[in-house]
Amino acid sequence: MALRWLWMLVPWRGDWNPRSKSPGQEEERHVRANDRDYNERFSYADNHIKTAKYNVFTFLPINLFEQFQRFANAYFLVLLILQLIPEISSLSWFTTIVPLVLVLAITAVKDATDDYFRHKSDQQVNTRQSQVLIKGKLQNEKWMNVRVGDIIKLENNQFVAADLLLLSSSEPYGLCYIETAELDGETNLKVRQALTVTSDLGDDVAKLADFNGEVICEPPNNKLDKFTGTLFWKDNKYPLDNEKMLLRGCVLRNTEWCFGLVIFAGLQTKLMQNCGRTKLKRTSIDKLMNTLVLWIFGFLICMGIILAIGNTIWEQKVGSNFWEYLQWKELTISAVFSGFLTFWSYVIILNTVVPISLYVSVEVLRLGHSYFINWDRRMYYSRKATPAEARTTTLNEELGQVEFIFSDKTGTLTQNIMVFNKCSINGKTYGDVYDEFGHKVDITEKTPCVDFSFNPLMDRKFRFHDSSLVEAIKLEEPLVQEFFRLLALCHTIMPEERNEGELVYQAQSPDEGALVTAARNFGFVFRSRTPETITLYEMGQAVTYQLLAILDFNNVRKRMSVIVRNPKGQLKLYSKGADTILFDRLDPSNEELMFTTSEHLNEFAGEGLRTLALAYKDLDEDVFDEWMKKLLFASTALENREEKLGALYEEIEQGMMLLGATAIEDKLQEGVPETIACLTLANIKIWVLTGDKLETAMNIGYSCNMLRDDMNEVFIISGHTMVEVRQELRMAKERIMGPGKDKFSSGLDMEKTELYSSDSVFEETIIAEYALIINGHSLAHALEADLEQILVDVACLCKTVICCRVTPLQKALVVELIKRHKRAVTLAIGDGANDVSMIKTAHIGVGISGQEGMQAVLASDYSFAQFRYLQRLLLVHGRWSYHRMCNFLCYFFYKNFAFTLVHFWYGFLCGFSAQTVYDQWFITLFNIVYTSLPVLAMGLFDQDVNEQYSLRYPNLYRPGQLNQLFNKRKFFTCTLQGAFAVTIATSLVIVVSAQIGLDTNYWTAVNHFFIWGSLAVYFAILFAMHSDGIFTIFPNQFPFIGTARNSLNQKIVWLVILLTTVVCIMPMVAVRFIKADLYPTHTDKVRLLQQASRRQGPQEQNFRRVRRTSSRRSAYAFAHQQGYGELITSGKNMKVPTASTSTYPLSSPARGNSVVKNSVVSGTTDAAETNSTGFRRESDQNQEVTVEDLEAR
Amino acid sequence: IMASSYGAKEEDGHHPGSAGLGGAAIRTKKPDNTAFKQQRLPAWQPILTAGTVLPAFFIIGLIFIPIGIGLYVTSNNIKEFELDYTGTDMSSPCFNCSQSWNSTNTCKCELFFSLDQPFESNVFMYYGLSNFYQNHRRYVKSRDDSQLNGDERSLKEPSKECEPYRTNENKPIAPCGAIANSMFNDTLDLFYIDPNGKKRPISLTKKGIAWWTDKHVKFRNPGGSNSNLTTVFKDTAKPVNWHKPVYELDVDIENNGFINEDFIVWMRTAALPTFRKLYRIIQKNNDMTPTLPRGNYSLAVTYNYPVRSFEGRKRMILSTISWMGGKNPFLGIAYITVGSICFFLGVVLLFIHHKYGNRNNSSDIAS
């Protein structure tokens, strides 16, 4: 308890949050367009973003201040002051100041470089160009000069510079399309629409410059999907909502230009508000180290007190007699006072137990490890020319301790590319390639692609390998033609043809795009559409179909259909949808085909592909007329319109004829399932947090092998109220633990630690595999204080957890939750701005680089181009870093104790007078010269197990998670060993060097050089300092002339050195041997194996193959919301030149539907303070200094 | 369709030229394929296996035991004789001296002893002090090495470290400091009492008892070539406890002043409160007779050095030396012990390894 209290005093504990000092709470925002003077009165944040900490002038004071907040540094400063008092000073001032200055300088240089790069990246963002309307003219301005109230012009594919109110755009009705991938991870386009009054301004710069509307709106907040405000213009009030806002981080798509009024800028934009707090990340080893330094400090005080008491007694009993000779009566007034002075003297002498060079050595090591990450060619993605990058250099060893990975989906797990991969037409599959013997060939990049050159309108990026399908097309097989005709007709895509033949499809979901593109390449080119017609180029022939109805997709129907009249006058219904749904509505004559298709579907699903079944139906004119009337009637109904329409759709989509099925691959990033499998074997739990919808997320879960059909149960939590959510979570828990075992429901009152222990035991015993999928709005409830415990319980009992539809802030909250409840090391990986908050919250944030946006990378600690590199980062670099750091720390503490404790024992022999055993130069140089390099070399180069084996045996990662390599127990062992290895000077240097030799597993040339070099340097310096020359120059500083010569030429000295070395080293050897022999760890075993295989020469590597066994999933899961069907048939998004904007109804249902009504309550839960005590798990191991340790003595 | 084999090609990439694709711009970003940067430095990877550890223990055992025996035998061959002459005992001849000590009178006493065995070769004569904290911090630093090195300025202005033995009656003390002040100043003379009862003085060499470097480099008299030490030390005071000034330590100019070997030996402070310091050397004069034959001896002590106040003891030690220095049976025993333990441990480990050892290591690694 006392220690905890002491911990509170440590200055760096508190988070220092630069943004918390916001100037007086803004209650309402007033923005007047084109009126900088007016807007400046409110001193809104400008668009300048600053993440750097220092500038040239503030660097030195602030940096020094920060450095002296480090306990050890401050301590050494105090020591330095103490040493200036002659009565106390037992060592010269240089013994402290040399290392201190060295440490401060190295750290300062490192901080300065870090900050320099921050300046550079800030600069890069701030100097992006945008067109701002200033004084009636469009001028190019840097982003940072954009002010609230400015009107700026955006062009297609540009990033939105600030949060804008959309004024007008190039598209009719003031529509404009944006991609919000940076914000929420969704890559489908979203529609924004300007107010009619403002969209009339068009691109008339003069009119826009005269625009002087005033916006009154909410203050800056982090709700991405909500905006309320009012525009006052020309004595009219217009309500504003999120549908009229373009947020920073979005990209303008498919819209030539648009104008917007800046409402929020810079740090006040919703994107930045969502970025979460910037915290100084510290590793658990760091925290442990700080604790240990405190302990050591306490230990030091204890030793000081013991020695001071000893001194008092000695002065009274012995010293007072001795005064006869020494006559210090006038100096030492009393024995007690002498004891008091001695205390401080010993604090100075024993200062080397608090290792000052520890921090700087650790920094150097981490820097080295970071460089190894940067240099790793196997984390270099040559296609985008992006190497991996360690952006912070302080977290490396934590990479070896990760227990939870929180991953974004889009762009991280998936490439967000949909590929038409296979199909089954009339009972025959296409898409596989066979060699001449009829064996299936694995498709690689070298596999020849089908030549589509017969088709001038083809999409060059499309690749297909099975030429038999093209042959079938060329043979004009009617069903194959019908198949692709269906794909070309049945969708809601908007085509765009800038130049002749240069078609661009604007798809609502990438799946549809892939299907229509496939049809296009196979000769059924969807070229244009009007509200009433669709024009295809069928094998070069223009064919126009009349579009009679779109039976749109929704979540319940899971299918969509179109009804068209072909040029021959035939009425056709084309339908595509989830196989289960469609198979129920087929004509009975299809049974046989259905059976074969079904087999194919299973096959596709087994390969992780997403499928859709396709069917058509010839319609009877009369039946259709009748139905159409009913439809018209229903669509005007005021009540239950949806249901009535649904029933009508159902009515006509009956008795269809099956055509076949498509298989689309949502391209995962390379090696994702293998990586996930490997990381799972390493006992790392992977959670997917995505802004995407449930079905999409589940699909990816299946294709990544995170969800499997052989899982016992997949729980889906999608309740809308707190009560529902609680009910669902309870149910899930009962299912997992069995009804009788619900002992944790009352767990909230239990002692926390108890809960942890019993919990983890329980987790181990559950063999069955469960998965939890939780929806965004449920998550909002589950994250509240009442439910979070049960959420954590359930989630941790499940193998797989997927959270979908989560906001950026919720991502952070989930990470925070695990950090708080499990005290485990978390890693968040993502690519977009919506992942920034989670990246910042997690212990380690990883950004996927090489993408368009940079926000995630900028906020991250590590960045690389491919998800699969995570495996290498954690299992190789992380594990090594952890291993190296732990060995380093063990050795370091051992060394310092061995070095310093001599003085404690010597105190008993020298009358507790704080006399040093070594000369002062030895003390000064021991840590920084004689013994620093070998241990650094070990910390940099050591490899217990090489990289191949690290990857092949993921469970080698376990010790890191369990904190086994360095914890308080280890610390005690090390210090005990150090206390045991009490020898003097030369002998000490040799013992310590021998020990490092024993600790080094991987002797590179550098290690050899450093170890032998250090010994050589020691003797060189020893003889130099004991030489005549230096004595004649500084007789007072180097009074030990000749000592080395005289003592080292005595054989007995060497015999003693040999003896002490053996005595100090052999017990360790014996203990380690017994441990490795009797209780080998995984590492030991793998090392043996590795050695054996090295002797035998290289072996065949057994690559792990991941088999996917998954159920069939409808590609329609990928559609995000109700389709654009109504928008298309109403023609509102068509460029109709005669369109009259003034009569445009404000609330189009299509537009209303196209945006997700997201009722997530976000930002209400306080991100409660992390309980960062730095104690982890080993609190009860303190007394367990083991028998072996004692025996070793 | 993007092929995942691309990555695999890169993964096994030990062959250097696999980059291929990119131009110069890409190449600059691609990390160099050096063994250092890719952490593939050739390395020796020792593992503690039975094959290495057990022989090591046996070999250490087998090497240490003979060394230990050798050391022990050598140490046993070294003759050593110790005589406490503090005089705390009523029966001791020096009892009176130790009781009635004052700084003015010199007190003499004589002790008789006999050697059971003859001392061959050179014999070293030490004085030993117990409970004397020559390693006390304030004591240790109470000296001025510049002064002792003959620095004129330090002679006039000794270092502050010498307080309170820095000046006496406004004159700088030479040599200053507590160490010099407390210099051992008993005089020990050795006599051989031949079978006839006649006392024959044994010649004691006082040169060569200090380290060569100390005598010739570290300690130098001030005034350079000026051999008249009386004038050199004219303006200085003698240390308060000394009977005579520093320039009267010896008549021999080569052994006087700061380069007096007794003084130099004293100034090299001992590390432990019980210590011995070389006092004289008894040279072997011919090969026929032992340096100190069996028989009776007497030690004449000029008792100047008081130790009673701090319960100290004073001893006179006679010792021969060998290649390993003075008598030190402990080292031999330690070597034998450590060697035996190593050997024993080797046996135990061998037993453990054979009985319980995990020789089938690789079988149960889960992959």
Side-chain angles (χ1 to χ4, degrees), chain A residues 86-90 314-315 318 321-322 324-328 330 332 338 345 372 374-378 380 382-383 385 387 415 417 419 421 444-445 463 465 667 670 681 868-869 877 880 884 906 909-911 913-915 941 943 948 952-953 955 998 1000-1006 1008 1028 1031-1032 1035-1036 1039 1041-1043 1045-1046 1051-1052 1055-1056 1058-1059 1062-1063 1066 1069-1070 1072-1074 1077-1078 1080 1082 1085-1091 1094, chain B residues 1-7 10-14 16 18-19 21 26 29-33 36-50 53-54 56-57 60 64 67 71 131-141 144-146 149 163-165 178 181-182 211-214 217-218 220 241 268 270-273 305-307 309-310 323-324 328 331 334-335 338 342 345 349 352-353 356-358 361-362 364-367:
Chain A
E87 274 73 34
I88 291 171
S89 172
S90 42
W314 187 88
E315 290 286 345
V318 185
N321 303 324
F322 208 62
E324 192 85 38
Y325 270 94
L326 306 177
Q327 293 193 6
W328 286 311
E330 61 267 43
T332 45
S338 157
S345 300
F372 281 131
N374 293 349
W375 285 333
D376 195 337
R377 280 164 73 92
R378 294 181 195 194
Y380 172 78
S382 46
R383 209 166 308 164
Q415 299 178 4
I417 298 173
V419 181
N421 207 318
T444 64
E445 204 158 66
R463 276 159 203 282
H465 299 279
K667 295 281 296 185
E670 289 162 30
L681 282 177
R868 68 187 148 105
Y869 296 151
H877 288 285
W880 278 349
R884 289 166 180 172
Y906 193 62
L909 298 174
C910 69
S913 61
Q915 173 58 28
F941 303 115
Q943 304 179 4
Q948 284 90 6
R952 201 187 296 173
Y953 301 105
N955 44 14
L998 193 64
T1000 306
N1001 294 313
Y1002 193 80
W1003 286 70
T1004 63
V1006 186
H1008 279 290
D1028 309 359
F1031 171 75
T1032 36
N1036 276 330
I1041 168 175
T1043 319
R1045 258 177 286 173
N1046 283 298
K1051 295 167 202 79
I1052 193 154
L1055 284 173
V1056 170
L1058 177 67
L1059 182 75
V1062 166
V1063 167
M1066 286 323 269
V1069 176
R1072 284 191 193 185
F1073 170 70
I1074 289 184
D1077 202 41
L1078 297 187
H1082 261 301
K1085 291 180 193 168
V1086 174
R1087 291 189 68 195
L1088 276 173
L1089 197 72
Q1090 186 184 327
Q1091 201 184 40
R1094 224 182 6 254
Chain B
I1 289 167
M2 311 215 176
S4 53
S5 66
Y6 182 82
E10 207 183 34
E11 291 288 357
D12 64 18
H14 275 291
S18 68
L21 286 160
I26 291 177
K29 269 185 148 186
K30 181 153 189 167
D32 300 333
N33 191 12
F36 173 71
K37 288 190 174 181
Q38 301 308 316
Q39 305 196 60
R40 275 189 275 110
L41 288 174
W44 173 51
Q45 298 173 46
I47 302 182
L48 296 181
T49 55
V53 173
L54 297 180
F57 273 95
I60 289 175
F64 269 42
I67 293 180
L71 284 173
N131 213 13
F132 189 99
Y133 284 85
Q134 238 197 342
N135 58 4
H136 194 282
R137 177 168 61 91
R138 282 171 300 189
Y139 183 85
V140 170
K141 70 176 186 182
D144 185 346
D145 281 306
S146 313
N149 193 229
E163 287 293 359
Y165 301 104
N181 186 52
S182 59
W211 288 358
W212 186 91
T213 43
D214 280 2
V217 186
K218 193 173 177 182
R220 271 189 296 190
N241 283 4
R268 180 160 293 283
L272 299 174
Y305 205 69
V307 292
S309 63
F310 55 93
W323 59 269
M324 60 169 279
N328 190 350
L331 191 64
Y335 259 89
V338 170
C342 275
L345 262 179
L349 290 182
I352 291 177
H353 177 67
Y356 309 102
N358 209 336
N361 272 320
S362 53
D364 57 332
I365 307 173
S367 62

Side-chain angles (χ1 to χ4, degrees), chain A residues 301-371:
Chain A
I301 302 275
C302 286
M303 285 198 296
I305 289 172
I306 293 173
L307 291 166
I309 292 170
N311 182 264
T312 311
I313 296 169
W314 187 88
E315 290 286 345
Q316 270 171 348
K317 292 266 165 66
V318 185
S320 54
N321 303 324
F322 208 62
W323 288 345
E324 192 85 38
Y325 270 94
L326 306 177
Q327 293 193 6
W328 286 311
K329 285 179 183 116
E330 61 267 43
L331 283 178
T332 45
I333 295 140
S334 71
V336 176
F337 185 65
S338 157
F340 174 75
L341 290 181
T342 310
F343 171 76
W344 294 110
S345 300
Y346 268 111
V347 167
I348 294 171
I349 282 200
L350 300 175
N351 77 64
T352 41
V353 275
V354 179
I356 186 171
S357 52
L358 175 71
Y359 286 98
V360 73
S361 308
V362 165
E363 306 267 280
V364 168
L365 281 194
R366 286 174 177 161
L367 193 70
H369 296 170
S370 302
Y371 272 105

Side-chain angles (χ1 to χ4, degrees), chain A residues 885-956:
Chain A
M885 190 60 77
C886 292
N887 271 5
F888 170 83
L889 289 177
C890 277
Y891 176 75
F892 212 91
F893 285 115
Y894 155 78
K895 184 183 81 172
N896 276 292
F897 269 77
F899 175 50
T900 311
L901 278 188
V902 176
H903 287 128
F904 180 75
W905 304 122
Y906 193 62
F908 291 89
L909 298 174
C910 69
F912 308 98
S913 61
Q915 173 58 28
T916 57
V917 182
Y918 319 117
D919 65 68
Q920 302 188 342
W921 288 101
F922 184 81
I923 293 175
T924 315
L925 299 178
F926 178 80
N927 265 332
I928 56 176
V929 178
Y930 300 153
T931 57
S932 62
L933 289 179
V935 67
L936 274 183
M938 183 196 71
L940 282 176
F941 303 115
D942 205 33
Q943 304 179 4
D944 52 345
V945 173
N946 70 21
E947 53 187 1
Q948 284 90 6
Y949 282 86
S950 300
L951 287 171
R952 201 187 296 173
Y953 301 105
N955 44 14
L956 292 178

Side-chain angles (χ1 to χ4, degrees), chain B residues 7-196:
Chain B
K9 193 171 73 189
E10 207 183 34
E11 291 288 357
D12 64 18
H14 275 291
H15 32 85
S18 68
L21 286 160
I26 291 177
R27 211 153 268 239
T28 50
K29 269 185 148 186
K30 181 153 189 167
D32 300 333
N33 191 12
T34 57
F36 173 71
K37 288 190 174 181
Q38 301 308 316
Q39 305 196 60
R40 275 189 275 110
L41 288 174
W44 173 51
Q45 298 173 46
I47 302 182
L48 296 181
T49 55
T52 51
V53 173
L54 297 180
F57 273 95
F58 286 123
I59 288 171
I60 289 175
L62 291 178
I63 292 176
F64 269 42
I65 294 173
I67 293 180
I69 292 169
L71 284 173
Y72 188 72
V73 170
T74 319
S75 172
N76 268 0
N77 285 338
I78 294 170
K79 312 281 188 318
E80 196 175 273
F81 175 80
E82 216 175 285
L83 180 70
D84 189 313
Y85 68 93
T86 324
T88 44
D89 232 12
M90 289 283 275
S91 59
S92 171
C94 291
F95 179 70
N96 284 335
C97 286
S98 72
Q99 292 302 306
S100 60
W101 179 84
N102 65 55
S103 57
T104 48
N105 311 1
T106 54
C107 175
K108 293 196 174 182
C109 55
E110 189 169 17
L111 293 91
F112 295 93
F113 63 95
S114 64
L115 297 176
D116 301 335
Q117 285 176 316
F119 280 43
E120 310 282 348
S121 77
N122 289 352
V123 177
F124 289 74
M125 182 178 180
Y126 301 88
Y127 59 86
L129 294 175
S130 297
N131 213 13
F132 189 99
Y133 284 85
Q134 238 197 342
N135 58 4
H136 194 282
R137 177 168 61 91
R138 282 171 300 189
Y139 183 85
V140 170
K141 70 176 186 182
S142 183
R143 64 191 286 163
D144 185 346
D145 281 306
S146 313
Q147 191 192 46
L148 298 173
N149 193 229
D151 187 73
E152 295 281 353
R153 234 170 350 139
S154 301
L155 186 68
K156 307 233 161 59
E157 191 78 29
S159 158
K160 287 206 169 56
E161 303 280 5
C162 286
E163 287 293 359
Y165 301 104
R166 185 163 165 264
T167 53
N168 190 15
E169 293 158 1
N170 292 327
K171 280 184 181 173
I173 294 177
C176 75
I179 309 177
N181 186 52
S182 59
M183 183 177 155
F184 181 78
N185 58 357
D186 281 359
T187 314
L188 306 176
D189 288 303
L190 207 55
F191 297 91
Y192 175 64
I193 303 171
D194 61 17
N196 311 330

Side-chain angles (χ1 to χ4, degrees), chain A residues 29 181 233 235 584 702 843 1111:
Chain A
R29 175 162 284 224
W233 189 37
D235 306 323
D584 286 346
Y702 276 108
H843 291 101
S1111 59

Side-chain angles (χ1 to χ4, degrees), chain A residues 834-852:
Chain A
N834 57 330
D835 305 315
V836 167
S837 61
M838 122 176 136
I839 283 174
K840 281 188 176 170
T841 312
H843 291 101
I844 302 163
V846 178
I848 299 285
S849 54
Q851 314 273 338
E852 271 180 49

Side-chain angles (χ1 to χ4, degrees), chain A residues 189 211 386 521 993:
Chain A
L189 296 186
F211 176 71
T386 33
N521 274 43
S993 296

